[in-house]
Amino acid sequence: MLKNSFISIISQKEKEENRGSVEFQVFGFTNKIRKLTSHLELHKKDYLSQRGLRKILGKRQRLLAYLSKKDKVRYKELISQLNIGEIKTR
């Protein structure tokens, strides 16, 4: 597993200032999702990690839905920086 292959878009100064921002939380969840996905490629029957992955995906989806409602520009920038798909709206 390559731990250093995950991107670091947010600078160190921004990390210290905005730990509670939606962007920072989505960035953290995205890193966790990528780590868990690479773990699950090796350990296909690790059902507890699968459950944790689904929970984190749900949290990230809710945060992205919130951000898309509040500020479309920040939402578009974030999904393009993190290279993730847009959320499905109902």
Side-chain angles (χ1 to χ4, degrees):
M1 181 166 75
L2 299 172
K3 291 187 179 183
N4 296 330
S5 67
F6 302 110
I7 55 175
S8 179
I9 295 172
I10 301 174
S11 69
Q12 189 65 28
K13 184 179 178 186
E14 289 176 347
K15 282 183 184 178
E16 293 173 2
E17 292 177 359
N18 300 324
R19 290 182 187 251
S21 70
V22 175
E23 289 92 345
F24 187 83
Q25 291 180 44
V26 170
F27 175 74
F29 287 145
T30 302
N31 277 340
K32 285 183 183 181
I33 288 167
R34 290 182 178 153
K35 288 178 185 177
L36 277 173
T37 303
S38 64
H39 169 77
L40 287 171
E41 287 174 357
L42 296 173
H43 308 282
K44 297 185 188 322
K45 294 193 176 190
D46 188 354
Y47 299 115
L48 289 177
S49 292
Q50 288 177 11
R51 180 175 183 259
L53 177 62
R54 286 192 301 267
K55 288 178 77 171
I56 293 171
L57 283 168
K59 287 180 185 180
R60 185 179 76 173
Q61 185 178 8
R62 287 191 299 273
L63 278 173
L64 286 172
Y66 167 78
L67 187 60
S68 70
K69 288 178 188 174
K70 292 293 182 183
D71 192 351
K72 280 282 192 192
V73 175
R74 283 173 50 199
Y75 169 74
K76 293 282 186 187
E77 286 177 9
L78 184 64
I79 62 170
S80 66
Q81 283 179 344
L82 294 178
N83 196 19
I84 56 178
E86 290 192 30
I87 59 167
K88 296 176 184 174
T89 56
R90 295 179 189 189

